[in-house]
Coordinates of all heavy atoms in Angstrom, one line a residue:
M261 N -27.7 54.0 -1.8 CA -26.6 53.2 -2.3 C -27.0 52.5 -3.6 O -28.1 51.9 -3.7 CB -26.4 52.0 -1.2 CG -25.3 52.4 -0.2 SD -24.7 50.9 0.5 CE -26.1 50.3 1.4
A262 N -26.0 52.6 -4.5 CA -26.3 52.1 -5.8 C -26.4 50.6 -5.8 O -27.2 49.9 -6.5 CB -25.2 52.5 -6.8
G263 N -25.6 49.9 -4.9 CA -25.6 48.4 -4.8 C -26.9 47.9 -4.4 O -27.4 46.9 -4.9
G264 N -27.6 48.6 -3.5 CA -28.9 48.2 -3.1 C -29.9 48.1 -4.2 O -30.7 47.2 -4.3
W265 N -29.9 49.1 -5.1 CA -30.8 49.1 -6.2 C -30.6 48.0 -7.1 O -31.6 47.3 -7.5 CB -30.7 50.4 -6.9 CG -31.3 51.6 -6.2 CD1 -30.7 52.6 -5.6 CD2 -32.7 51.8 -6.0 NE1 -31.6 53.5 -5.1 CE2 -32.8 53.0 -5.3 CE3 -33.9 51.1 -6.3 CZ2 -34.1 53.5 -4.9 CZ3 -35.1 51.6 -5.9 CH2 -35.2 52.8 -5.2
S266 N -29.4 47.7 -7.4 CA -29.2 46.6 -8.4 C -29.6 45.2 -7.8 O -30.1 44.4 -8.5 CB -27.7 46.5 -8.9 OG -26.9 46.2 -7.8
R267 N -29.4 45.1 -6.5 CA -29.8 43.8 -5.9 C -31.4 43.7 -6.0 O -31.9 42.6 -6.3 CB -29.4 43.8 -4.4 CG -28.9 42.4 -4.0 CD -28.3 42.4 -2.6 NE -27.1 43.3 -2.5 CZ -26.8 44.0 -1.5 NH1 -27.6 44.1 -0.4 NH2 -25.7 44.7 -1.5
D268 N -32.1 44.8 -5.7 CA -33.5 44.8 -5.8 C -34.0 44.4 -7.2 O -34.9 43.6 -7.4 CB -34.1 46.2 -5.5 CG -34.1 46.4 -4.0 OD1 -33.8 45.5 -3.3 OD2 -34.4 47.6 -3.7
G269 N -33.2 44.9 -8.2 CA -33.6 44.5 -9.6 C -33.4 43.1 -9.9 O -34.3 42.5 -10.5
A270 N -32.4 42.4 -9.3 CA -32.2 41.0 -9.5 C -33.3 40.2 -8.9 O -33.8 39.2 -9.5 CB -30.8 40.6 -8.9
V271 N -33.7 40.6 -7.7 CA -34.8 39.9 -7.1 C -36.1 40.0 -7.9 O -36.8 39.0 -8.1 CB -35.1 40.4 -5.6 CG1 -36.4 39.9 -5.1 CG2 -33.9 40.1 -4.7
Q272 N -36.3 41.2 -8.4 CA -37.5 41.4 -9.2 C -37.5 40.5 -10.5 O -38.5 40.0 -10.9 CB -37.6 42.9 -9.6 CG -39.0 43.2 -10.3 CD -40.2 42.9 -9.4 OE1 -40.2 43.2 -8.3 NE2 -41.1 42.2 -10.0
D273 N -36.3 40.4 -11.1 CA -36.1 39.5 -12.2 C -36.5 38.1 -11.9 O -37.2 37.4 -12.7 CB -34.7 39.5 -12.7 CG -34.4 40.8 -13.6 OD1 -35.4 41.5 -13.9 OD2 -33.2 41.0 -13.9
Q274 N -36.1 37.6 -10.7 CA -36.4 36.2 -10.3 C -37.9 36.1 -10.2 O -38.5 35.1 -10.6 CB -35.7 35.9 -9.0 CG -34.3 35.6 -9.2 CD -33.6 35.2 -7.9 OE1 -34.2 35.3 -6.9 NE2 -32.3 34.9 -8.0
I275 N -38.6 37.1 -9.5 CA -40.0 37.1 -9.3 C -40.7 37.0 -10.7 O -41.6 36.2 -10.9 CB -40.5 38.3 -8.5 CG1 -40.0 38.1 -7.0 CG2 -42.0 38.3 -8.5 CD1 -40.2 39.3 -6.2
D276 N -40.3 37.9 -11.6 CA -40.9 37.9 -12.9 C -40.8 36.6 -13.6 O -41.8 36.1 -14.2 CB -40.3 39.0 -13.8 CG -40.7 40.4 -13.4 OD1 -41.6 40.5 -12.6 OD2 -40.1 41.4 -13.8
S277 N -39.7 36.0 -13.6 CA -39.5 34.7 -14.3 C -40.3 33.6 -13.7 O -40.9 32.7 -14.4 CB -38.0 34.3 -14.5 OG -37.5 34.1 -13.2
S278 N -40.5 33.6 -12.3 CA -41.2 32.5 -11.7 C -42.7 32.7 -12.0 O -43.5 31.8 -12.1 CB -40.9 32.4 -10.2 OG -41.2 33.6 -9.6
V279 N -43.2 34.0 -12.1 CA -44.5 34.2 -12.5 C -44.8 33.8 -13.9 O -45.8 33.1 -14.2 CB -44.9 35.7 -12.3 CG1 -46.2 36.1 -13.0 CG2 -44.9 36.1 -10.9
E280 N -43.8 34.0 -14.8 CA -44.0 33.6 -16.1 C -44.1 32.1 -16.2 O -44.9 31.5 -16.9 CB -42.8 34.0 -17.0 CG -43.0 35.4 -17.6 CD -41.8 36.0 -18.2 OE1 -41.0 35.2 -18.7 OE2 -41.6 37.2 -18.2
D281 N -43.3 31.4 -15.4 CA -43.3 29.9 -15.4 C -44.7 29.4 -14.9 O -45.2 28.5 -15.5 CB -42.3 29.4 -14.4 CG -40.9 29.5 -14.9 OD1 -40.7 29.8 -16.1 OD2 -39.9 29.2 -14.2
A282 N -45.2 30.1 -13.9 CA -46.5 29.7 -13.4 C -47.6 29.9 -14.4 O -48.5 29.1 -14.6 CB -46.9 30.5 -12.1
V283 N -47.5 31.0 -15.1 CA -48.5 31.3 -16.2 C -48.4 30.3 -17.3 O -49.4 29.7 -17.7 CB -48.3 32.7 -16.7 CG1 -49.2 32.9 -18.0 CG2 -48.7 33.8 -15.7
A284 N -47.2 29.9 -17.6 CA -47.0 29.0 -18.7 C -47.5 27.6 -18.3 O -48.1 26.9 -19.1 CB -45.5 28.9 -19.1
A285 N -47.3 27.2 -17.0 CA -47.8 26.0 -16.5 C -49.3 25.9 -16.5 O -49.9 24.9 -16.9 CB -47.2 25.7 -15.1
A286 N -49.9 27.0 -16.1 CA -51.3 27.1 -16.1 C -51.9 27.0 -17.5 O -52.9 26.4 -17.7 CB -51.8 28.4 -15.4
R287 N -51.2 27.7 -18.4 CA -51.7 27.7 -19.8 C -51.7 26.2 -20.3 O -52.6 25.8 -21.0 CB -50.9 28.6 -20.6 CG -51.3 30.0 -20.5 CD -50.9 30.8 -21.7 NE -51.2 32.2 -21.5 CZ -50.4 33.2 -21.6 NH1 -49.2 32.9 -22.1 NH2 -50.7 34.4 -21.4
S288 N -50.6 25.5 -20.1 CA -50.4 24.2 -20.7 C -51.4 23.3 -20.1 O -51.9 22.3 -20.7 CB -49.0 23.7 -20.6 OG -48.6 23.6 -19.2
R289 N -51.7 23.5 -18.8 CA -52.7 22.7 -18.1 C -54.1 22.9 -18.8 O -54.8 22.0 -19.0 CB -52.8 23.0 -16.6 CG -52.7 21.8 -15.7 CD -52.7 22.2 -14.3 NE -51.5 22.9 -13.8 CZ -51.5 24.0 -13.1 NH1 -52.6 24.5 -12.6 NH2 -50.4 24.5 -12.7
L290 N -54.4 24.2 -19.0 CA -55.7 24.5 -19.6 C -55.8 23.9 -21.0 O -56.8 23.3 -21.4 CB -55.8 26.0 -19.8 CG -56.3 26.8 -18.6 CD1 -56.3 28.3 -18.9 CD2 -57.8 26.3 -18.2
R291 N -54.7 23.9 -21.7 CA -54.7 23.4 -23.1 C -55.0 21.9 -23.1 O -55.6 21.4 -24.0 CB -53.3 23.7 -23.7 CG -53.3 23.8 -25.2 CD -52.0 24.4 -25.7 NE -51.9 25.8 -25.3 CZ -50.8 26.5 -25.5 NH1 -49.7 26.0 -26.1 NH2 -50.8 27.8 -25.2
D292 N -54.5 21.2 -22.1 CA -54.7 19.8 -22.1 C -56.1 19.4 -21.7 O -56.7 18.4 -22.2 CB -53.7 19.1 -21.1 CG -52.3 19.1 -21.6 OD1 -52.1 19.3 -22.8 OD2 -51.4 19.0 -20.8
G293 N -56.7 20.2 -20.8 CA -58.0 19.7 -20.2 C -59.2 20.4 -20.6 O -60.1 19.9 -21.3
V294 N -59.3 21.7 -20.3 CA -60.6 22.4 -20.3 C -60.9 23.0 -21.7 O -60.1 23.7 -22.3 CB -60.7 23.5 -19.3 CG1 -62.1 24.2 -19.3 CG2 -60.4 23.0 -17.9
S295 N -62.0 22.6 -22.3 CA -62.4 23.2 -23.6 C -63.1 24.5 -23.4 O -63.9 24.7 -22.5 CB -63.3 22.2 -24.4 OG -62.7 21.0 -24.6
L296 N -62.8 25.5 -24.2 CA -63.4 26.8 -24.1 C -64.8 26.7 -24.8 O -65.1 26.0 -25.7 CB -62.6 27.8 -24.9 CG -61.2 28.1 -24.3 CD1 -60.6 29.3 -25.0 CD2 -61.3 28.5 -22.8
L297 N -65.7 27.5 -24.2 CA -67.1 27.6 -24.8 C -67.0 28.5 -26.0 O -67.8 28.3 -27.0 CB -68.0 28.2 -23.8 CG -68.4 27.3 -22.6 CD1 -69.2 28.1 -21.6 CD2 -69.1 26.1 -23.1
H298 N -66.1 29.5 -26.1 CA -66.1 30.4 -27.2 C -64.6 30.4 -27.8 O -63.7 30.3 -27.0 CB -66.4 31.8 -26.7 CG -67.8 32.0 -26.2 ND1 -68.2 31.7 -24.9 CD2 -69.0 32.2 -26.9 CE1 -69.5 31.9 -24.8 NE2 -70.0 32.2 -26.0
C299 N -64.6 30.6 -29.0 CA -63.3 30.6 -29.7 C -62.4 31.7 -29.2 O -62.8 32.8 -29.0 CB -63.5 30.8 -31.2 SG -62.0 31.1 -32.2
E300 N -61.2 31.4 -28.9 CA -60.2 32.3 -28.4 C -59.9 33.4 -29.4 O -59.5 34.5 -29.0 CB -58.9 31.6 -28.0 CG -58.0 32.3 -27.0 CD -56.8 31.4 -26.7 OE1 -56.0 31.1 -27.5 OE2 -56.7 31.1 -25.5
E301 N -60.0 33.1 -30.7 CA -59.6 34.0 -31.7 C -60.8 35.0 -32.1 O -60.6 36.2 -32.1 CB -59.2 33.3 -33.0 CG -57.8 32.9 -33.0 CD -56.8 34.1 -33.0 OE1 -57.0 35.0 -33.9 OE2 -56.0 34.1 -32.2
C302 N -62.0 34.4 -32.4 CA -63.0 35.3 -33.0 C -64.2 35.4 -32.0 O -65.1 36.2 -32.3 CB -63.5 34.7 -34.3 SG -64.3 33.1 -34.2
G303 N -64.3 34.5 -30.9 CA -65.3 34.7 -30.0 C -66.6 33.9 -30.4 O -67.6 34.0 -29.6
E304 N -66.6 33.2 -31.5 CA -67.7 32.4 -31.9 C -67.9 31.2 -30.9 O -66.9 30.7 -30.3 CB -67.4 31.8 -33.3 CG -67.6 32.7 -34.4 CD -69.1 33.1 -34.6 OE1 -69.9 32.1 -34.6 OE2 -69.4 34.3 -34.8
V305 N -69.1 30.8 -30.7 CA -69.4 29.7 -29.9 C -68.8 28.4 -30.5 O -69.0 28.2 -31.7 CB -70.9 29.5 -29.7 CG1 -71.2 28.2 -28.9 CG2 -71.5 30.7 -28.9
I306 N -68.1 27.6 -29.7 CA -67.6 26.4 -30.3 C -68.6 25.3 -30.0 O -69.1 25.1 -28.9 CB -66.3 26.0 -29.5 CG1 -65.2 27.1 -29.8 CG2 -65.7 24.7 -30.0 CD1 -63.9 26.9 -29.0
P307 N -69.1 24.6 -31.1 CA -70.1 23.6 -30.9 C -69.7 22.5 -29.9 O -68.5 22.1 -29.8 CB -70.2 23.0 -32.3 CG -69.6 24.0 -33.2 CD -68.6 24.7 -32.4
E308 N -70.7 22.0 -29.1 CA -70.4 21.1 -28.1 C -69.8 19.8 -28.6 O -68.9 19.3 -28.0 CB -71.7 20.7 -27.3 CG -71.5 19.9 -26.1 CD -72.8 19.6 -25.3 OE1 -73.8 19.9 -25.8 OE2 -72.7 18.9 -24.3
A309 N -70.2 19.4 -29.8 CA -69.6 18.2 -30.4 C -68.1 18.4 -30.6 O -67.4 17.4 -30.4 CB -70.3 17.9 -31.7
R310 N -67.7 19.6 -31.0 CA -66.3 19.8 -31.2 C -65.6 19.9 -29.9 O -64.4 19.4 -29.8 CB -66.1 21.1 -32.0 CG -64.7 21.6 -32.1 CD -64.5 22.6 -33.2 NE -63.2 23.3 -33.1 CZ -62.0 22.7 -33.5 NH1 -62.1 21.5 -34.0 NH2 -60.9 23.3 -33.4
R311 N -66.2 20.4 -28.9 CA -65.5 20.5 -27.6 C -65.3 19.1 -27.0 O -64.3 18.8 -26.3 CB -66.3 21.4 -26.6 CG -66.2 22.8 -26.9 CD -66.8 23.7 -25.9 NE -68.2 23.9 -26.0 CZ -69.1 23.5 -25.1 NH1 -68.7 23.0 -24.0 NH2 -70.4 23.7 -25.3
I312 N -66.3 18.2 -27.3 CA -66.1 16.8 -26.8 C -65.1 16.1 -27.6 O -64.3 15.3 -27.1 CB -67.5 16.1 -26.8 CG1 -68.4 16.8 -25.7 CG2 -67.4 14.6 -26.6 CD1 -69.9 16.4 -25.9
A313 N -65.1 16.3 -28.9 CA -64.2 15.6 -29.8 C -62.8 16.0 -29.6 O -61.9 15.2 -29.8 CB -64.7 15.8 -31.2
V314 N -62.6 17.3 -29.2 CA -61.2 17.8 -29.1 C -61.0 18.3 -27.7 O -61.3 19.5 -27.4 CB -61.0 19.0 -30.2 CG1 -59.5 19.4 -30.2 CG2 -61.4 18.5 -31.5
P315 N -60.5 17.5 -26.8 CA -60.3 17.9 -25.4 C -59.4 19.1 -25.4 O -58.3 19.1 -26.0 CB -59.7 16.7 -24.7 CG -60.1 15.6 -25.6 CD -60.2 16.1 -27.0
G316 N -59.7 20.2 -24.6 CA -58.9 21.3 -24.5 C -59.0 22.3 -25.7 O -58.1 23.1 -25.9
V317 N -60.0 22.1 -26.5 CA -60.1 22.9 -27.7 C -60.3 24.4 -27.3 O -60.9 24.7 -26.3 CB -61.3 22.5 -28.6 CG1 -62.6 22.8 -27.9 CG2 -61.2 23.1 -30.0
R318 N -59.6 25.3 -28.1 CA -59.6 26.7 -27.7 C -60.1 27.5 -28.9 O -60.3 28.7 -28.8 CB -58.2 27.2 -27.3 CG -57.8 26.6 -26.0 CD -56.3 26.5 -25.8 NE -55.7 27.8 -25.8 CZ -54.7 28.2 -26.5 NH1 -54.3 27.4 -27.5 NH2 -54.2 29.4 -26.4
L319 N -60.2 26.9 -30.1 CA -60.6 27.7 -31.3 C -61.7 27.0 -32.0 O -61.9 25.8 -31.9 CB -59.4 27.7 -32.2 CG -58.1 28.4 -31.7 CD1 -56.9 28.1 -32.6 CD2 -58.3 29.9 -31.5
C320 N -62.5 27.8 -32.7 CA -63.6 27.2 -33.6 C -62.9 26.6 -34.7 O -61.7 26.8 -35.0 CB -64.5 28.3 -34.0 SG -63.9 29.5 -35.2
L321 N -63.6 25.8 -35.5 CA -63.1 25.0 -36.6 C -62.4 25.9 -37.6 O -61.3 25.6 -38.1 CB -64.2 24.2 -37.2 CG -63.7 23.1 -38.2 CD1 -62.8 22.1 -37.4 CD2 -64.9 22.3 -38.7
H322 N -63.1 27.0 -37.9 CA -62.5 28.0 -38.9 C -61.2 28.5 -38.5 O -60.2 28.5 -39.3 CB -63.5 29.1 -39.1 CG -63.1 30.2 -40.0 ND1 -63.1 30.0 -41.4 CD2 -62.5 31.4 -39.8 CE1 -62.6 31.1 -41.9 NE2 -62.3 31.9 -41.0
C323 N -61.1 29.0 -37.2 CA -59.8 29.6 -36.8 C -58.7 28.5 -36.7 O -57.6 28.7 -37.0 CB -60.0 30.3 -35.5 SG -61.0 31.8 -35.6
Q324 N -59.1 27.3 -36.2 CA -58.2 26.2 -36.1 C -57.6 25.9 -37.4 O -56.4 25.7 -37.6 CB -58.9 25.0 -35.5 CG -57.9 23.9 -35.2 CD -56.9 24.2 -34.0 OE1 -57.4 24.5 -32.9 NE2 -55.7 24.3 -34.3
N325 N -58.4 25.8 -38.5 CA -57.9 25.6 -39.8 C -56.9 26.6 -40.3 O -55.9 26.3 -40.9 CB -59.1 25.5 -40.8 CG -59.8 24.1 -40.7 OD1 -59.2 23.2 -40.2 ND2 -61.0 24.1 -41.1
E326 N -57.3 27.9 -40.0 CA -56.4 29.0 -40.4 C -55.0 28.8 -39.8 O -54.0 29.0 -40.4 CB -57.0 30.3 -40.0 CG -58.3 30.6 -40.8 CD -58.3 32.0 -41.4 OE1 -57.7 32.9 -40.7 OE2 -58.8 32.2 -42.5
I327 N -55.1 28.5 -38.5 CA -53.8 28.4 -37.7 C -53.0 27.2 -38.1 O -51.8 27.2 -38.3 CB -54.1 28.5 -36.2 CG1 -54.4 29.9 -35.8 CG2 -52.9 27.9 -35.4 CD1 -54.8 30.1 -34.4
D328 N -53.8 26.1 -38.3 CA -53.1 24.9 -38.8 C -52.4 25.1 -40.1 O -51.2 24.7 -40.3 CB -54.1 23.7 -39.0 CG -54.5 23.1 -37.6 OD1 -53.8 23.5 -36.6 OD2 -55.4 22.3 -37.6
S329 N -53.0 25.8 -41.0 CA -52.4 26.0 -42.4 C -51.3 27.0 -42.3 O -50.3 26.9 -43.1 CB -53.5 26.4 -43.4 OG -54.1 27.6 -43.0
S330 N -51.4 28.0 -41.4 CA -50.3 29.0 -41.4 C -49.1 28.6 -40.5 O -48.0 29.0 -40.7 CB -50.9 30.3 -41.0 OG -51.3 30.3 -39.7
Q331 N -49.4 27.8 -39.4 CA -48.4 27.5 -38.4 C -48.0 26.0 -38.4 O -47.1 25.7 -37.7 CB -48.8 28.0 -37.0 CG -48.9 29.5 -36.9 CD -49.2 29.9 -35.5 OE1 -49.5 29.0 -34.6 NE2 -49.1 31.1 -35.2
G332 N -48.7 25.2 -39.1 CA -48.5 23.8 -38.9 C -47.0 23.4 -39.2 O -46.4 22.7 -38.5
K333 N -46.5 23.9 -40.4 CA -45.1 23.6 -40.7 C -44.2 24.1 -39.7 O -43.2 23.5 -39.3 CB -44.8 24.2 -42.1 CG -45.5 23.4 -43.2 CD -45.3 24.2 -44.5 CE -46.2 23.5 -45.6 NZ -46.2 24.3 -46.8
Q334 N -44.5 25.3 -39.2 CA -43.6 25.9 -38.2 C -43.5 25.1 -36.9 O -42.5 24.8 -36.4 CB -44.1 27.3 -37.8 CG -43.0 28.3 -37.6 CD -43.6 29.7 -37.3 OE1 -44.7 29.9 -37.7 NE2 -42.9 30.5 -36.6
H335 N -44.7 24.5 -36.5 CA -44.7 23.7 -35.3 C -43.8 22.5 -35.5 O -43.0 22.1 -34.6 CB -46.1 23.2 -35.0 CG -46.9 24.2 -34.2 ND1 -46.4 24.7 -32.9 CD2 -48.0 24.9 -34.4 CE1 -47.3 25.6 -32.5 NE2 -48.3 25.7 -33.3
L336 N -44.0 21.8 -36.7 CA -43.2 20.6 -36.9 C -41.7 21.0 -36.9 O -40.9 20.2 -36.3 CB -43.5 20.1 -38.3 CG -44.8 19.2 -38.4 CD1 -45.1 18.8 -39.8 CD2 -44.7 18.0 -37.5
F337 N -41.3 22.1 -37.5 CA -39.9 22.5 -37.5 C -39.4 22.7 -36.1 O -38.4 22.2 -35.8 CB -39.8 23.8 -38.3 CG -38.4 24.3 -38.4 CD1 -37.5 23.7 -39.3 CD2 -38.0 25.3 -37.6 CE1 -36.2 24.1 -39.4 CE2 -36.6 25.7 -37.7 CZ -35.8 25.2 -38.6
N338 N -40.2 23.4 -35.3 CA -39.8 23.7 -33.9 C -39.6 22.4 -33.1 O -38.6 22.3 -32.3 CB -40.8 24.6 -33.2 CG -40.7 26.0 -33.7 OD1 -39.8 26.4 -34.4 ND2 -41.8 26.8 -33.4
R339 N -40.5 21.5 -33.3 CA -40.4 20.3 -32.5 C -39.1 19.5 -32.9 O -38.4 19.0 -32.1 CB -41.6 19.4 -32.8 CG -42.1 18.7 -31.6 CD -43.4 17.9 -31.8 NE -44.5 18.9 -32.0 CZ -45.6 18.6 -32.7 NH1 -45.8 17.4 -33.3 NH2 -46.6 19.4 -32.8
R340 N -38.9 19.5 -34.2 CA -37.7 18.8 -34.7 C -36.4 19.5 -34.1 O -35.5 18.9 -33.7 CB -37.6 18.8 -36.2 CG -37.4 17.4 -36.7 CD -37.6 17.4 -38.2 NE -38.8 16.7 -38.6 CZ -39.4 16.9 -39.8 NH1 -39.0 17.8 -40.6 NH2 -40.5 16.3 -40.1
G341 N -36.5 20.9 -34.1 CA -35.3 21.6 -33.7 C -35.0 21.4 -32.2 O -33.8 21.2 -31.8
S342 N -36.0 21.3 -31.3 CA -35.8 21.1 -29.9 C -35.3 19.7 -29.7 O -34.5 19.5 -28.8 CB -37.0 21.4 -29.1 OG -38.1 20.6 -29.5
K343 N -35.8 18.7 -30.4 CA -35.3 17.4 -30.3 C -33.8 17.3 -30.6 O -33.0 16.7 -29.9 CB -36.1 16.4 -31.2 CG -36.3 15.0 -30.6 CD -37.1 14.2 -31.6 CE -38.5 13.9 -31.2 NZ -39.2 13.1 -32.1
D344 N -33.5 18.0 -31.7 CA -32.1 18.1 -32.1 C -31.2 18.6 -31.0 O -30.1 18.1 -30.8 CB -32.0 19.0 -33.4 CG -31.1 18.4 -34.4 OD1 -31.2 17.2 -34.6 OD2 -30.3 19.1 -35.0
S345 N -31.6 19.7 -30.4 CA -30.7 20.3 -29.4 C -30.6 19.5 -28.1 O -29.7 19.6 -27.4 CB -31.2 21.7 -29.1 OG -32.6 21.7 -28.6
Q346 N -31.6 18.6 -27.9 CA -31.5 17.7 -26.7 C -30.5 16.7 -27.0 O -29.8 16.2 -26.0 CB -32.9 17.1 -26.4 CG -33.8 17.9 -25.6 CD -35.2 17.4 -25.5 OE1 -35.5 16.2 -26.0 NE2 -36.1 18.1 -24.9
L347 N -30.4 16.2 -28.2 CA -29.4 15.2 -28.5 C -28.0 15.7 -28.4 O -27.1 14.9 -28.1 CB -29.6 14.6 -29.9 CG -30.9 13.8 -30.1 CD1 -31.1 13.5 -31.6 CD2 -30.8 12.5 -29.3
R348 N -27.8 16.9 -28.6 CA -26.4 17.4 -28.6 C -25.9 17.8 -27.2 O -26.3 17.8 -26.3 CB -26.3 18.7 -29.4 CG -26.2 18.3 -30.9 CD -26.4 19.5 -31.7 NE -26.7 19.0 -33.1 CZ -26.9 19.8 -34.1 NH1 -26.8 21.1 -34.0 NH2 -27.2 19.4 -35.3
Ligands
ZN466 ZN1 -62.9 31.4 -34.3

């Protein structure tokens, strides 16, 4: 039956999206709390002083600087954009 297949597909879509939600929630939890021992980008050891100074740090200073300079403006823009859409 063709109808049975499409229903299965819809259930699978729901499962996929709830898994994505769980992954996103786990990621944001990690970001807030646990500092990584090694840079997520280049694998360099992140100095302990930096891990203590920046809770939830995931990048070494070098990679963090690169991302800040390339994405910093974008982040500000996105934050402003989502605030805007909440007001409307
Ligand atoms: Zn790095």
Side-chain angles (χ1 to χ4, degrees):
M261 270 201 294
W265 283 111
S266 66
R267 220 174 294 143
D268 285 351
V271 169
Q272 188 60 46
D273 281 351
Q274 283 178 356
I275 291 169
D276 284 348
S277 65
S278 57
V279 168
E280 273 170 32
D281 286 350
V283 170
R287 278 206 187 125
S288 61
R289 230 178 292 137
L290 277 177
R291 205 164 292 174
D292 287 340
V294 184
S295 301
L296 295 184
L297 289 173
H298 296 89
C299 173
E300 200 176 63
E301 275 296 309
C302 69
E304 282 289 317
V305 173
I306 298 171
E308 192 180 358
R310 173 162 167 74
R311 286 190 277 119
I312 291 167
V314 188
V317 69
R318 291 153 69 233
L319 300 167
C320 70
L321 196 57
H322 177 75
C323 292
Q324 186 67 63
N325 281 340
E326 294 229 326
I327 284 177
D328 281 352
S329 59
S330 67
Q331 292 187 349
K333 286 173 189 170
Q334 217 176 337
H335 274 303
L336 281 176
F337 180 79
N338 287 344
R339 219 174 288 155
R340 230 171 254 160
S342 59
K343 214 182 250 177
D344 223 41
S345 55
Q346 277 173 3
L347 287 172
R348 277 169 200 182

